[in-house]
Amino acid sequence: MFKKMGRRWSEKIEFGLFTLPVLICIAIAFYIPFAMTIRYSLTKWNGISKHPKFIGLDNFKQIFLHDTNFTQSAWFTIKYAVLYIVLVNVLAILLALVLDMKLKSTTWLRAAFFIPYILSLVIVGFIWKFIFMQGFESLGASTGWGIFKLSWLGEPGLAFISILLVSIWQSVGFYLVIYIAGLQSVPDDLKEAATVDGAGPLRRFFNITLPLLAPSITISVFMALTNSIKVFDVILSLTGGGPGGTTYSIAYDIYRDTFQNNLYGYGTAKALILFVAVLIVTIVQLTIFKRREVEA
């Protein structure tokens, strides 16, 4: 009996010794900074002074009641997130259906769509900024097409479309890989049985393929949701928040207040609000989609 108890204690000590470094790293990398974030969100701090001034919930009152920039950036982020999630997933599913066919160039096409995802969005933003400003000007002069003569980064509506298109172009390859993996897990027997029963391509897709893609859709929508709500780098490199601050996302607004205006306490309060919003939306999205997976 004593031997068993000693063995249990030795196993627990061994387990603790192996997990303690991991717990310490997690605490240092996440829990301690998160606690400091909550603390600084309740202060007025410029990032330099040693003693931040405690002001309670004044930062949050200012954000929700008087900060029009935060309201506009939140509305921009919501529009961007909804359109990005829908368009990138629909496009990725359509491309996956095509590339799942046995074509000679399938391997090369998959690589071509995935390569932009390897590049940083900052680099992609600068590349497309050059294309929009100089490449389109040259194309407009040579072809005479009016679409190339538009101010793609100088008008609010076109700047929003530009950010959306560049983001989709860069990331569609990632979601494409997820959907191709999902399509390859669909049993061929079901497709053949549906074909024998007289089901056409559309009916086979909506009644068999799409329900069985539910796990892939859950993962892709989750990734697209979190990435779109936190959009920052493509805006920084492509438009810089312009024209006239019309392309500020919440993340870019936090960056501007914190690192440009030196309002560290105020920016931290906005960051905390963004964290809570992402957490709530993610939980709701995963709950709904997981329930549909079970039903499917």
Side-chain angles (χ1 to χ4, degrees), residues 99-143:
L99 297 182
D100 192 47
M101 300 176 183
K102 296 180 180 179
L103 304 174
K104 292 182 179 180
S105 58
T106 296
T107 304
W108 295 102
L109 288 173
R110 290 180 183 179
F113 280 110
F114 189 76
I115 285 174
Y117 182 74
I118 301 174
L119 301 175
S120 168
L121 261 176
V122 175
I123 298 174
V124 170
F126 282 122
I127 292 172
W128 275 96
K129 187 175 183 178
F130 174 80
I131 294 173
F132 281 128
M133 296 183 68
Q134 298 187 27
F136 276 20
E137 183 179 353
S138 301
L139 288 172
S142 59
T143 61

Side-chain angles (χ1 to χ4, degrees), residues 8-85:
R8 289 177 184 176
W9 277 107
S10 63
E11 290 177 354
K12 290 181 179 179
I13 293 173
E14 185 179 354
F15 178 78
L17 290 175
F18 279 106
T19 56
L20 186 61
V22 178
L23 295 175
I24 292 174
C25 291
I26 293 175
I28 293 174
F30 180 76
Y31 291 110
I32 294 176
F34 183 71
M36 294 175 66
T37 298
I38 297 175
R39 176 197 168 195
Y40 286 128
S41 68
L42 303 174
T43 64
K44 183 179 181 181
W45 186 43
N46 59 5
I48 301 174
S49 62
K50 294 182 179 180
H51 303 288
K53 181 181 177 182
F54 180 79
I55 58 174
L57 299 176
D58 288 353
N59 284 331
F60 296 95
K61 293 178 182 177
Q62 178 67 22
I63 291 170
F64 287 114
L65 299 178
H66 305 292
D67 194 337
T68 56
N69 288 331
F70 182 78
T71 304
Q72 292 174 359
S73 63
W75 176 237
F76 172 89
T77 305
I78 292 171
K79 290 191 299 181
Y80 172 87
V82 171
L83 291 173
Y84 176 81
I85 292 168

